[in-house]
Coordinates of all heavy atoms in Angstrom, one line a residue:
A1 N 101.0 104.4 109.7 CA 100.4 103.4 110.6 C 100.0 102.2 109.9 O 99.9 101.1 110.5 CB 99.3 104.0 111.4
K2 N 99.7 102.4 108.6 CA 99.2 101.2 107.8 C 100.3 100.8 106.8 O 100.0 99.9 105.9 CB 97.9 101.6 107.0 CG 96.7 101.9 107.9 CD 95.5 102.3 107.1 CE 94.3 102.5 108.0 NZ 93.1 102.8 107.2
N3 N 101.4 101.4 106.8 CA 102.5 101.0 105.9 C 102.0 101.1 104.4 O 102.3 100.3 103.6 CB 103.0 99.6 106.1 CG 104.2 99.6 107.2 OD1 104.3 100.5 108.0 ND2 105.0 98.6 107.1
T4 N 101.3 102.2 104.1 CA 100.6 102.3 102.8 C 100.8 103.7 102.2 O 100.8 104.7 102.9 CB 99.1 102.0 103.0 OG1 98.9 100.7 103.5 CG2 98.4 102.1 101.6
V5 N 101.1 103.7 100.9 CA 101.2 104.9 100.2 C 100.0 104.9 99.1 O 99.6 103.8 98.6 CB 102.5 105.1 99.5 CG1 102.8 103.9 98.5 CG2 102.7 106.4 98.8
Y6 N 99.5 106.1 98.9 CA 98.3 106.2 98.0 C 98.6 107.2 96.9 O 99.5 108.0 97.0 CB 97.1 106.8 98.8 CG 96.7 106.0 100.0 CD1 97.2 106.3 101.3 CD2 95.9 104.8 99.9 CE1 96.8 105.6 102.4 CE2 95.6 104.1 101.0 CZ 96.0 104.5 102.2 OH 95.7 103.7 103.4
L7 N 97.9 107.0 95.8 CA 97.9 107.9 94.7 C 96.5 108.2 94.3 O 95.8 107.3 93.7 CB 98.7 107.4 93.5 CG 98.9 108.4 92.4 CD1 99.8 109.6 92.8 CD2 99.5 107.7 91.1
Q8 N 96.0 109.4 94.7 CA 94.7 109.8 94.3 C 94.8 110.5 92.9 O 95.5 111.4 92.7 CB 94.1 110.8 95.3 CG 92.7 111.3 94.9 CD 91.7 110.3 94.9 OE1 91.6 109.4 95.8 NE2 90.8 110.3 93.9
M9 N 94.1 109.9 91.9 CA 94.2 110.4 90.6 C 92.8 111.0 90.1 O 91.8 110.2 90.1 CB 94.6 109.3 89.6 CG 95.9 108.6 90.0 SD 96.5 107.4 88.8 CE 95.2 106.2 89.0
N10 N 92.7 112.2 89.9 CA 91.5 112.9 89.5 C 91.7 113.4 88.0 O 92.8 113.6 87.5 CB 91.2 114.0 90.4 CG 90.9 113.6 91.8 OD1 90.4 112.5 92.1 ND2 91.3 114.4 92.8
S11 N 90.5 113.8 87.4 CA 90.5 114.3 86.1 C 91.4 113.5 85.1 O 92.3 114.0 84.4 CB 91.0 115.8 86.1 OG 90.2 116.6 87.0
L12 N 91.2 112.2 85.2 CA 92.0 111.3 84.4 C 91.9 111.5 82.9 O 90.8 111.9 82.4 CB 91.7 109.9 84.8 CG 92.4 109.4 86.1 CD1 91.7 108.2 86.6 CD2 93.9 109.1 85.9
K13 N 93.0 111.3 82.2 CA 93.0 111.5 80.8 C 93.4 110.2 80.1 O 94.1 109.4 80.7 CB 94.0 112.6 80.4 CG 93.8 113.9 81.1 CD 94.9 114.9 80.7 CE 94.6 116.3 81.4 NZ 95.7 117.2 81.1
P14 N 93.1 110.0 78.8 CA 93.5 108.8 78.1 C 95.0 108.6 78.2 O 95.5 107.5 78.3 CB 93.0 109.0 76.7 CG 91.8 109.8 76.9 CD 92.1 110.8 78.0
E15 N 95.8 109.7 78.2 CA 97.2 109.6 78.2 C 97.8 109.1 79.6 O 99.0 108.9 79.7 CB 97.9 110.9 77.8 CG 97.4 112.1 78.5 CD 96.3 112.9 77.7 OE1 95.4 112.2 77.1 OE2 96.4 114.1 77.7
D16 N 96.9 109.0 80.6 CA 97.3 108.5 81.9 C 97.3 107.0 81.9 O 97.7 106.3 82.8 CB 96.4 109.0 83.0 CG 96.5 110.5 83.2 OD1 97.7 111.0 83.2 OD2 95.5 111.1 83.4
T17 N 96.8 106.4 80.8 CA 96.7 104.9 80.7 C 98.1 104.3 80.7 O 99.0 104.7 80.0 CB 96.0 104.5 79.4 OG1 94.7 104.9 79.4 CG2 96.1 103.0 79.2
A18 N 98.3 103.4 81.7 CA 99.6 102.8 81.9 C 99.5 101.7 83.0 O 98.5 101.7 83.7 CB 100.7 103.8 82.3
V19 N 100.6 101.0 83.2 CA 100.7 100.2 84.4 C 101.4 101.0 85.4 O 102.5 101.6 85.1 CB 101.5 98.9 84.1 CG1 101.7 98.1 85.4 CG2 100.9 98.1 83.0
Y20 N 100.9 101.1 86.6 CA 101.4 101.9 87.6 C 102.1 101.0 88.7 O 101.5 100.0 89.1 CB 100.3 102.7 88.3 CG 99.8 103.9 87.5 CD1 99.1 103.7 86.3 CD2 100.2 105.2 87.8 CE1 98.7 104.8 85.5 CE2 99.8 106.3 87.1 CZ 99.1 106.1 85.9 OH 98.7 107.2 85.1
Y21 N 103.3 101.5 89.0 CA 104.1 100.7 90.0 C 104.5 101.6 91.2 O 104.8 102.8 91.0 CB 105.4 100.3 89.3 CG 105.3 99.4 88.1 CD1 105.2 100.0 86.8 CD2 105.3 98.0 88.2 CE1 105.1 99.2 85.7 CE2 105.2 97.2 87.1 CZ 105.1 97.8 85.9 OH 105.0 97.0 84.8
C22 N 104.5 101.0 92.4 CA 105.0 101.7 93.5 C 106.5 101.3 93.7 O 106.9 100.2 93.4 CB 104.2 101.6 94.7 SG 104.2 99.9 95.5
K23 N 107.2 102.2 94.2 CA 108.7 102.0 94.5 C 109.0 102.3 95.9 O 108.6 103.4 96.4 CB 109.5 102.8 93.5 CG 111.0 102.6 93.7 CD 111.8 103.4 92.7 CE 113.3 103.2 92.8 NZ 114.0 104.0 91.8
Y24 N 109.7 101.5 96.5 CA 110.2 101.6 97.9 C 111.7 101.9 97.9 O 112.5 101.1 97.4 CB 109.9 100.4 98.7 CG 110.3 100.2 100.1 CD1 109.4 100.3 101.1 CD2 111.6 100.0 100.5 CE1 109.7 100.1 102.5 CE2 112.0 99.9 101.8 CZ 111.1 99.9 102.8 OH 111.4 99.7 104.1
Y25 N 112.1 103.1 98.3 CA 113.5 103.5 98.2 C 114.1 103.0 99.5 O 114.2 103.8 100.5 CB 113.6 105.1 98.1 CG 113.1 105.6 96.8 CD1 111.8 105.8 96.5 CD2 114.0 106.0 95.8 CE1 111.3 106.3 95.3 CE2 113.6 106.6 94.6 CZ 112.2 106.7 94.4 OH 111.7 107.2 93.2
G26 N 114.6 101.8 99.4 CA 115.1 101.2 100.6 C 116.5 101.7 101.1 O 117.1 102.5 100.4
L27 N 116.9 101.3 102.2 CA 118.2 101.8 102.8 C 119.4 101.2 102.1 O 120.4 101.7 102.1 CB 118.2 101.5 104.3 CG 117.0 102.1 105.1 CD1 117.1 101.7 106.5 CD2 116.9 103.6 104.9
G28 N 119.2 100.0 101.5 CA 120.3 99.3 100.8 C 120.0 99.0 99.4 O 120.9 98.9 98.6
R29 N 118.7 98.9 99.1 CA 118.3 98.6 97.7 C 116.8 99.1 97.6 O 116.2 99.4 98.6 CB 118.3 97.1 97.4 CG 117.6 96.2 98.4 CD 117.3 94.9 97.9 NE 116.3 94.9 96.8 CZ 115.8 93.8 96.3 NH1 116.3 92.6 96.7 NH2 114.9 93.8 95.3
N30 N 116.4 99.1 96.4 CA 115.0 99.6 96.1 C 114.1 98.4 95.8 O 114.6 97.3 95.3 CB 115.0 100.5 94.9 CG 115.8 101.8 95.1 OD1 115.8 102.3 96.2 ND2 116.5 102.2 94.1
Y31 N 112.8 98.5 96.0 CA 111.9 97.4 95.8 C 110.7 98.0 94.9 O 110.4 99.2 95.0 CB 111.3 96.9 97.1 CG 112.3 96.3 98.0 CD1 113.1 97.1 98.9 CD2 112.6 94.9 97.9 CE1 114.0 96.5 99.7 CE2 113.6 94.3 98.8 CZ 114.3 95.1 99.6 OH 115.2 94.6 100.5
W32 N 110.2 97.1 94.1 CA 109.1 97.5 93.2 C 107.9 96.6 93.5 O 108.0 95.4 93.8 CB 109.5 97.3 91.7 CG 110.5 98.3 91.3 CD1 111.9 98.1 91.3 CD2 110.3 99.5 90.7 NE1 112.5 99.2 90.8 CE2 111.5 100.1 90.4 CE3 109.1 100.2 90.4 CZ2 111.7 101.3 89.8 CZ3 109.3 101.5 89.8 CH2 110.5 102.0 89.5
G33 N 106.7 97.2 93.3 CA 105.5 96.4 93.3 C 105.3 95.7 92.0 O 106.0 95.9 91.0
Q34 N 104.2 94.9 91.9 CA 104.0 94.1 90.7 C 103.3 94.9 89.6 O 103.2 94.5 88.5 CB 103.1 92.9 91.1 CG 101.6 93.1 91.2 CD 101.2 93.8 92.5 OE1 102.0 94.1 93.3 NE2 99.9 94.1 92.6
G35 N 102.8 96.1 90.0 CA 102.1 96.9 89.0 C 100.6 96.7 89.0 O 100.1 95.6 89.2
T36 N 99.9 97.8 88.7 CA 98.4 97.7 88.5 C 98.0 98.5 87.3 O 98.5 99.6 87.1 CB 97.7 98.2 89.8 OG1 96.3 98.0 89.7 CG2 98.0 99.7 90.1

């Protein structure tokens, strides 16, 4: 309903440090977010 995907991250570790990107698996092509 909100066109939104979430990633709840618990018990985070230093090795989880990264830029996180969402990906939309489109019908003809894929799309990427800008990263956070």
Side-chain angles (χ1 to χ4, degrees):
K2 296 182 178 180
N3 273 23
T4 301
V5 62
Y6 305 97
L7 186 67
Q8 178 67 44
M9 305 185 294
N10 299 329
S11 302
L12 282 161
K13 304 176 181 180
E15 51 263 44
D16 295 318
T17 295
V19 178
Y20 284 71
Y21 299 89
C22 67
K23 181 178 179 180
Y24 177 108
Y25 292 77
L27 304 179
R29 57 163 287 186
N30 300 323
Y31 298 87
W32 291 91
Q34 81 284 358
T36 185

